[in-house]
Amino acid sequence: MASATTGKIDVSYLNDASESSPPPPRSQPLMNPDPNTSPDASKTSTETSATELASPNILVKKLSYRQINIAVNTILEAFKFDAFTRYVTGQTGIDPPPPPSTFAKLKYAFYFWYFLTRRISLQIDDAHSLIIAFPPPSLVQNGSWKDKFIDIVFGGMAMILAKFDGEVVNRRRRELEGQKAAIESWLDGRGKDMYCVHLLATDPAYQGLGYASRLLDAIARIADTEGRSTWLLSTGRHNVPFYELHGYVTVGELRLGGEDPDWMGEEVICPVMVRDARCTSEIEKSE
């Protein structure tokens, strides 16, 4: 499903259903979600998540450019009360989250353009639930000159945009980047050959419908077919039971904010989790 020469990932099998197909029936959305629930998991209880795993009729499709505005709104709503997101965006942790600025929305839209162009971007229910996964660095490093040019342009633009983030955001970004060596050690040096779930978000009004489970399963199918493991950085310990149901195990924890003079909230603890590849016989048995 992947070419070692182009770095392209084949996700065409996800579009077997027509774009005009109606969405599957769903129960009443949660209109008053718990603000303390992180959006990188629809539910965290074992009972509910087990039910979500048995929802094979939910259609997973590739995210499209026309859905970027919806995708931006999805992550803004989903991560509004998320401690990790509040930390890296320069908030205090105790004041109410500020409304997103026009600049922030445009920046997220730019990121999604890049994700659609160079990453695995999947969605359910018109981008009200979505996942962004990074292919293994060892796979994409041999991309075409066009791919490399896009990466260079994006990297340059990201550096320019970072100059407008302010001192607190940039300080915390450097703190997070300083943890890369620790993460790689927890991954036993395999990071360059692993898929990475970079983002998993569901609009609060659409949580509890099994969407997050289906999106994780889609990435797992890609990774398993290639015999590759997957890793992710969860935004909180409360998401661990959800990911464990999908085969992830905690290999380490990042701790942020403990010494930050501008952060008034509790220390942000983010588990680093790994899902080892399943063998072909296990995949066929589950299908």
Side-chain angles (χ1 to χ4, degrees):
M1 295 182 65
S3 169
T5 56
T6 65
K8 299 295 184 182
I9 308 298
D10 181 13
V11 292
S12 59
Y13 70 89
L14 295 171
N15 286 335
D16 293 337
S18 169
E19 287 291 333
S20 60
S21 301
R26 65 171 187 249
S27 58
Q28 181 66 28
L30 300 178
M31 302 309 295
N32 296 298
D34 181 354
N36 294 316
T37 300
S38 174
D40 64 351
S42 292
K43 288 287 184 180
T44 57
S45 69
T46 303
E47 180 179 358
T48 303
S49 297
T51 302
E52 292 173 354
L53 289 171
S55 304
N57 296 321
I58 298 173
L59 301 181
V60 176
K61 303 178 183 179
K62 289 185 287 186
L63 186 67
S64 67
Y65 291 99
R66 70 170 182 82
Q67 295 172 321
I68 286 180
N69 286 338
I70 300 175
V72 170
N73 183 71
T74 292
I75 64 171
L76 289 174
E77 289 298 317
F79 290 101
K80 182 185 298 184
F81 298 101
D82 178 68
F84 174 81
T85 301
R86 298 182 71 182
Y87 184 74
V88 298
T89 54
Q91 299 179 42
T92 65
I94 57 174
D95 296 325
S101 64
T102 300
F103 175 75
K105 293 179 180 179
L106 290 174
K107 182 169 66 173
Y108 284 130
F110 171 66
Y111 289 158
F112 271 114
W113 170 83
Y114 177 71
F115 293 153
L116 279 163
T117 307
R118 293 288 288 133
R119 300 295 184 244
I120 303 174
S121 309
L122 308 177
Q123 57 84 25
I124 293 174
D125 211 342
D126 199 21
H128 287 103
S129 185
L130 56 91
I131 193 169
I132 306 296
F134 288 8
S138 62
L139 181 65
V140 300
Q141 66 183 5
N142 296 321
S144 66
W145 67 266
K146 180 180 178 181
D147 293 335
K148 294 179 180 178
F149 176 75
I150 292 174
D151 289 343
I152 292 173
V153 171
F154 173 78
M157 288 297 298
M159 291 179 63
I160 294 174
L161 292 173
K163 295 183 180 298
F164 296 91
D165 285 335
E167 190 274 332
V168 174
V169 173
N170 282 305
R171 183 181 70 237
R172 293 175 180 177
R173 181 184 293 118
R174 290 191 297 270
E175 177 189 4
L176 185 59
E177 291 175 348
Q179 304 282 354
K180 287 183 178 179
I183 293 176
E184 187 61 26
S185 68
W186 292 328
L187 300 180
D188 293 329
R190 300 182 297 158
K192 65 181 184 302
D193 297 316
M194 301 171 70
Y195 279 88
C196 173
V197 176
H198 175 70
L199 172 69
L200 175 61
T202 301
D203 187 306
Y206 291 77
Q207 290 182 3
L209 307 176
Y211 290 174
S213 290
R214 291 295 291 162
L215 290 168
L216 273 181
D217 289 345
I219 299 301
R221 177 176 175 179
I222 295 172
D224 287 342
T225 301
E226 299 176 13
R228 298 181 184 271
S229 299
T230 309
W231 76 277
L232 58 82
L233 176 66
S234 175
T235 60
R237 286 175 172 171
H238 54 282
N239 294 312
V240 168
F242 171 81
Y243 288 121
E244 287 179 338
L245 282 172
H246 291 269
Y248 286 86
V249 296
T250 300
V251 295
E253 290 184 333
L254 291 187
R255 293 176 177 269
L256 305 170
E259 300 180 359
D260 190 287
D262 298 300
W263 178 252
M264 307 301 175
E266 296 182 357
E267 185 178 34
V268 182
I269 301 175
C270 302
V272 176
M273 306 189 72
V274 170
R275 177 189 181 275
D276 287 326
R278 295 167 57 189
C279 63
T280 303
S281 60
E282 289 181 302
I283 299 174
E284 293 175 347
K285 183 179 180 180
S286 64
E287 295 177 350

